[in-house]
């Protein structure tokens, strides 16, 4: 498993839900996988979201990946969430337990699905875009020089067309 | 027809911008758009072609100012500038060019709504779809970096088509600006009577 940075409150991360609005004890909880928005390399970690706000003080969230406990703590950047500091791999089995005042409730076990793949042919799209940008930059350079050689002249400006 | 000095003095900013200033304003605006587009493509190439880890793929400016890449304000600010430019320069377009420019303006309007929503989420700290991170409306269907790259592309294409149509020589009789006027070298003698 690889180490991932905490999810930023803003910026360049994407997230996908692994489990939505599961009722566990008094709480409604969702499990999210948050990952930097890379094309192929992916270092996701997990966020346990309390959909109705933070749990009571004294509640403890524990996360197991396979048979191993992983470090999880209240998120510093996301309200109503606890997050792990380590990533997970596809096929990892994740169990989440919430304990409070001697009681504990578990979320249904989740198996990490394969990473998201691009739904668009990104390399082809980028190649076309680079070609287009280069052609436009070349055209614009010539036309801009031409525009500055021409004195500013006033025509019949009606702006009613 | 050439305006008299009294008439030109009466022209407001928008009229001047879409008349005598339209040509220069358009090329300055395009330069800003192309520079921003190149920055996006530079970063996209780092991610999808070079396959750099995302934290290292900061684009060209991001190497000097890394906070730029992570700031919703920067993305929102650029979307606002781009939309404002499209709206301000719209009245100068005529015919089919106007339709393409309008299409670009509408798409950029939606792009701006998306960035405004992201900005609000970052400020309020509450995100769409119960997500732990600020989320675009269409993000459940297309991941964010791809989505916003596509937004920029589908704003750029009709904008370029509009500019190309607007600067065709045949458009010159329709235009109130000099955008489609013949190059100055060839038309120098007749310039005074434009």
């Amino acid at each position: 498993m690889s180490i991932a940075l905490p999810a930023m409150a803003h910026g360049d991360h994407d997230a996908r839900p692994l489990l939505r609005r599961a009722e566990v004890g008094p709480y409604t909880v969702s499990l999210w996988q948050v990952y930097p928005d890379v094309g192929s390399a992916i270092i996701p970690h997990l966020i346990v979201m309390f959909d109705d706000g933070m749990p009571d003080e004294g509640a403890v969230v524990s996360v197991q990946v396979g048979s191993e406990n992983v470090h999880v703590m209240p998120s510093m950047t996301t309200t109503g969430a606890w997050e792990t500091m380590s990533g997970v791999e596809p096929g990892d089995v994740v169990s989440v337990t919430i304990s409070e005042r001697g009681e504990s409730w578990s979320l249904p076990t989740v198996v990490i699905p394969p990473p998201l793949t691009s739904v668009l042919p990104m390399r082809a799209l980028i190649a076309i875009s680079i070609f287009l940008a280069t052609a436009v930059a070349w055209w614009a350079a010539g036309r801009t020089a031409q525009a500055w050689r021409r004195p500013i002249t006033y025509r019949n400006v009606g702006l009613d067309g | 027809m050439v305006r008299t000095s009294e008439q030109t003095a009466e022209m407001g900013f928008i009229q001047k911008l879409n008349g005598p200033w339209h040509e220069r304003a358009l090329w300055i605006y395009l330069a800003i758009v192309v520079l921003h587009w190149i920055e996006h493509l530079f970063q996209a190439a780092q991610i999808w072609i070079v396959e750099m880890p995302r934290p290292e793929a900061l684009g060209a400016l991001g190497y000097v100012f890394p906070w730029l890449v992570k700031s919703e304000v920067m993305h929102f600010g650029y979307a606002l500038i781009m939309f404002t430019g499209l709206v301000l320069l719209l009245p100068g377009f005529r015919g089919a060019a106007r339709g393409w420019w309008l299409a670009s303006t509408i798409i950029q309007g939606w792009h701006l709504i998306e960035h405004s929503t992201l900005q609000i989420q970052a400020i309020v700290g509450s995100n769409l779809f119960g997500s732990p991170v600020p989320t675009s409306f269409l993000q459940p269907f297309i991941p964010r970096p791809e989505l916003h790259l596509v937004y920029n592309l589908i704003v750029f294409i009709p904008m370029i088509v509009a500019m190309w149509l607007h600067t065709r020589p045949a458009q010159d009789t329709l235009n109130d600006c000099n955008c489609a006027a013949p190059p100055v070298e060839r038309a120098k003698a007749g310039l005074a009577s434009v």
Side-chain angles (χ1 to χ4, degrees), chain B residues 15-156:
Chain B
Q15 274 192 311
K16 283 180 181 168
L17 188 65
N18 288 280
W21 298 347
H22 199 240
E23 188 180 26
R24 292 187 181 187
L26 215 51
W27 297 113
I28 291 172
Y29 180 65
L30 183 63
I32 296 169
V33 170
V34 168
L35 286 174
H36 172 257
W37 186 221
I38 288 171
E39 179 72 10
H40 258 283
L41 289 175
F42 194 89
Q43 190 185 31
Q46 287 176 324
I47 295 171
W48 281 289
I49 295 176
V50 183
E51 297 194 357
M52 286 172 75
R54 180 62 181 85
E56 292 171 26
L58 301 173
L61 275 179
Y63 278 117
V64 189
F65 309 108
W67 61 270
L68 275 175
V69 178
K70 295 186 181 298
S71 166
E72 288 290 0
V73 177
M74 194 268 294
H75 295 292
F76 170 75
Y78 177 76
L80 184 62
I81 288 169
M82 178 137 187
F83 181 71
T84 306
L86 284 164
V87 170
L88 287 177
L89 294 167
L90 173 66
F93 284 84
R94 297 285 186 277
R98 187 183 177 87
W100 284 95
W101 192 265
L102 187 62
S104 181
T105 307
I106 291 168
I107 298 166
Q108 181 59 20
W110 171 252
H111 192 189
L112 178 61
I113 289 171
E114 285 270 39
H115 274 291
S116 305
T117 312
L118 287 166
Q119 179 65 25
I120 291 167
Q121 291 173 72
I123 291 168
V124 173
S126 179
N127 305 313
L128 287 179
F129 312 117
S131 171
V133 292
T135 304
S136 302
F137 288 112
L138 296 183
Q139 209 167 311
F141 311 104
I142 304 176
R144 180 168 168 183
E146 298 171 33
L147 179 65
H148 285 265
L149 193 80
V150 169
Y151 276 152
N152 279 297
L153 182 62
I154 61 175
V155 169
F156 188 62

Side-chain angles (χ1 to χ4, degrees), chain A residues 10 14 37-38 149-150 153, chain B residues 54 70 139 178 182 185:
Chain A
H10 55 77
D14 219 327
D37 47 10
V38 294
R149 279 197 296 269
R150 193 199 314 280
T153 51
Chain B
R54 180 62 181 85
K70 295 186 181 298
Q139 209 167 311
N178 292 319
E185 294 88 346

Side-chain angles (χ1 to χ4, degrees), chain A residues 47-103:
Chain A
I47 289 194
V48 181
M49 283 286 287
F50 287 84
D51 294 322
D52 304 323
M54 271 310 254
D56 294 340
E57 244 179 77
V60 174
V61 175
S62 55
V63 175
Q64 260 197 334
V65 178
S67 56
E68 202 179 319
N69 283 314
V70 297
H71 181 61
V72 59
M73 61 184 191
S75 172
M76 288 186 288
T77 53
T78 308
T79 311
W82 287 54
E83 65 185 294
T84 67
M85 296 302 292
S86 47
V88 285
E89 303 287 349
D92 281 347
V93 180
V94 176
S95 318
V96 177
T97 305
I98 299 160
S99 310
E100 185 184 286
R101 294 191 211 98
E103 283 190 276

